[in-house]
Amino acid sequence: MLRARRLFRALRSCSSAPCPRPRPSARLSVRDALGSLGTSGERVKVQGWIRSVRSQKEVLFLHVNDGSSLESLQVVADSSCDSRELAFGSSVEVQGQLVKSPSKRQNVELKAEEIKVIGSCDSQEFPIKYKERHPLEYLRQYPHLRCRTNILGSILRVRSEATAAIHSFFKDSGFVHIHTPIITSNDCEGAGELFQVEPSSKINLPEKNFFDVPAFLTVSGQLHLEVMSGAFTQVFTFGPTFRAENSQSRRHLAEFYMVEAEISFIESLQDLMQVMEELFKATTMMVLSNCPEDVELCHKFIAPGHKIRTYAKKQLFNVAAVDLLVPGIGELFGGSLREERHHVLEQRLARSGLTEAYQWYLDLRRFGSVPHGGFGMGFERYLQCILGIDNIKDVVPFPRFTHSCLL
């Protein structure tokens, strides 16, 4: 025991003893470097991809971007650093001093001491060309490379910010986040446009189906949220949904994201509409606040003159439902009050021959049922709405639609 204590004290003294080491460069993202207020010549390291190269007699200028912001960081180096590997698209690691820039175009610049090429890029073979504004239709041919363009970078940063804003809104509003299943035995929409799930290999099973019942990729999380609304007064889910629609239109995808919510003890369609409106406003305000340059780029080059407007709501009072319709995009929100009366729902299921399959749904009405309602918002259509993007395939990282599943 005594020897163990001595060894422990020795280890502590060794770990606390200062070891002379060279001070490493602080690693900064391009966004943090551009926003840095302290430009006292601190040595920093920036990693990213070259967006432009300009060589003069004694000075070499590089613009490096790492996806953290629309704006690139200007790197200033001695002309002796120039090489063929320093080309548009190449990945680099730059170490040097962050200093105040004499140019009015940027506040700071990186005075390079060392430039290391991590991965070279043949700009002649690279399908994305420097200083060329490629149409979105052209970029769809290269789903593995299009994220490196300014426009797709902006769209995907907005998508990320909107995702965070949606979660923030629901958390601040007291909603519980539910992970609804992707594989389900229910056809929530009833349209029959389902992808059936089956094992790719032949598995010896006592029953025909892997799950003993037909299973599908989900078209909506509504029914599972209705289950949860019997225990939590406010729930939401945000995840992928799938529709086997034989369409290549600019408004449809086979895989897309849905924001869905269910609220218990709600009896007014107006109260439901209020939550839908607050979600739209809160999310959009956060996107505009945190991604102004990205939104402006989309409005300037993709949809000149586009403005975020409020749109008319179409109320369908015969089924206590409401849709939010956006010109050129279609249905953005869809919501309704649910049928909570057991006898009414039982009669409808009996007429359709679905009583046995949906006995669990009747149980929700038998045991502590409450008036409730919910809504869904198509996330990609929301992005189209605020950015003015014409085709839904351009607001999703990897679009899936009929006859196309690249990557």
Side-chain angles (χ1 to χ4, degrees):
M1 179 67 72
L2 182 61
R3 292 180 62 186
R5 288 177 179 174
R6 288 175 179 172
L7 178 60
F8 179 68
R9 284 197 296 268
L11 288 172
R12 287 187 62 184
S13 63
C14 286
S15 62
S16 60
C19 298
R21 295 179 181 177
R23 189 175 180 181
S25 301
R27 181 182 173 183
L28 289 182
S29 69
V30 168
R31 182 186 181 94
D32 289 341
L34 291 171
S36 177
L37 298 177
T39 55
S40 57
E42 180 184 2
R43 200 163 188 269
V44 301
K45 177 170 64 177
V46 172
Q47 298 164 322
W49 293 265
I50 297 175
R51 288 292 175 86
S52 70
V53 183
R54 181 163 53 92
S55 181
Q56 295 183 353
K57 288 184 178 180
E58 298 180 355
V59 183
L60 175 68
F61 294 97
L62 302 177
H63 282 91
V64 176
N65 192 286
D66 63 355
S68 60
S69 73
L70 175 61
E71 188 179 355
S72 297
L73 176 65
Q74 178 168 280
V75 175
V76 182
D78 189 271
S79 58
S80 62
C81 296
D82 196 6
S83 74
R84 291 183 179 180
E85 289 188 312
L86 293 177
F88 172 67
S90 295
S91 57
V92 294
E93 178 181 285
V94 184
Q95 297 193 58
Q97 292 182 336
L98 199 62
V99 298
K100 184 174 177 59
S101 174
S103 173
K104 295 181 179 180
R105 295 182 179 181
Q106 63 272 325
N107 294 325
V108 297
E109 61 187 24
L110 183 58
K111 187 177 180 181
E113 298 172 355
E114 180 184 356
I115 302 176
K116 183 188 300 182
V117 176
I118 306 300
S120 60
C121 176
D122 187 338
S123 57
Q124 297 297 320
E125 296 291 331
F126 195 34
I128 299 171
K129 302 303 180 185
Y130 173 55
K131 285 188 176 180
E132 195 168 326
R133 192 177 300 150
H134 298 290
L136 293 175
E137 294 83 358
Y138 171 82
L139 294 176
R140 277 180 227 140
Q141 302 174 71
Y142 305 99
H144 57 302
L145 298 173
R146 66 175 188 164
C147 56
R148 303 189 191 188
T149 63
N150 281 341
I151 189 63
L152 260 297
S154 287
I155 291 172
L156 295 177
R157 274 189 296 272
V158 168
R159 185 183 177 103
S160 176
E161 191 64 40
T163 298
I166 288 167
H167 281 278
S168 178
F169 168 81
F170 282 119
K171 182 178 180 180
D172 292 344
S173 301
F175 282 73
V176 175
H177 184 199
I178 302 296
H179 293 101
T180 55
I182 290 176
I183 299 175
T184 177
S185 59
N186 296 313
D187 179 7
C188 182
E189 296 291 323
E193 296 163 338
L194 297 161
F195 288 103
Q196 188 160 355
V197 177
E198 296 177 348
S200 60
S201 60
K202 300 296 182 180
I203 302 176
N204 294 322
L205 294 172
E207 300 292 337
K208 182 179 179 181
N209 298 296
F210 184 87
F211 295 103
D212 293 342
V213 295
F216 313 95
L217 295 180
T218 183
V219 298
S220 171
Q222 177 190 326
L223 296 182
H224 299 95
L225 285 184
E226 285 198 59
V227 170
M228 293 296 162
S229 69
F232 306 95
T233 56
Q234 298 184 115
V235 291
F236 83 100
T237 190
F238 186 2
T241 54
F242 307 85
R243 305 283 170 89
E245 294 180 297
N246 187 18
S247 172
Q248 295 192 42
S249 78
R250 60 186 181 83
R251 299 164 68 177
H252 294 94
L253 289 170
E255 178 184 349
F256 55 96
Y257 274 68
M258 284 277 287
V259 181
E260 298 177 276
E262 200 73 21
I263 306 170
S264 297
F265 300 99
I266 190 170
E267 300 184 57
S268 166
L269 198 62
Q270 192 66 38
D271 292 341
L272 189 63
M273 291 163 58
Q274 184 68 29
V275 179
M276 294 161 62
E277 185 173 329
E278 289 174 357
L279 170 62
F280 183 93
K281 287 181 177 180
T283 301
T284 306
M285 289 297 292
M286 184 173 288
V287 168
L288 292 176
S289 175
N290 294 338
C291 301
E293 299 90 355
D294 294 312
V295 173
E296 184 181 356
L297 180 73
C298 293
H299 290 181
K300 183 177 180 180
F301 294 112
I302 303 300
H306 180 77
K307 294 182 179 179
I308 300 172
R309 302 183 295 271
T310 54
Y311 299 97
K313 304 177 185 71
K314 178 183 177 183
Q315 297 186 33
L316 308 173
F317 286 106
N318 58 324
V319 288
V322 59
D323 291 331
L324 177 61
L325 307 178
V326 180
I329 295 176
E331 180 185 333
L332 179 58
F333 278 90
S336 72
L337 300 182
R338 317 306 189 192
E339 179 57 76
E340 85 277 4
R341 294 169 297 178
H342 179 272
H343 69 281
V344 174
L345 192 57
E346 186 176 36
Q347 291 172 2
R348 291 181 181 177
L349 290 173
R351 285 197 299 267
S352 303
L354 297 172
T355 301
E356 183 178 353
Y358 285 90
Q359 184 60 52
W360 65 268
Y361 199 60
L362 287 173
D363 284 349
L364 299 179
R365 274 67 181 171
R366 290 175 59 204
F367 306 115
S369 179
V370 299
H372 61 287
F375 64 84
M377 180 186 79
F379 185 52
E380 281 76 19
R381 290 187 176 182
Y382 165 77
L383 295 173
Q384 283 185 274
C385 175
I386 65 170
L387 297 178
I389 306 297
D390 183 64
N391 198 308
I392 198 169
K393 300 175 183 67
D394 297 321
V395 294
V396 63
F398 302 99
R400 272 81 174 96
F401 51 97
T402 181
H403 306 305
S404 180
C405 186
L406 300 177
L407 269 69

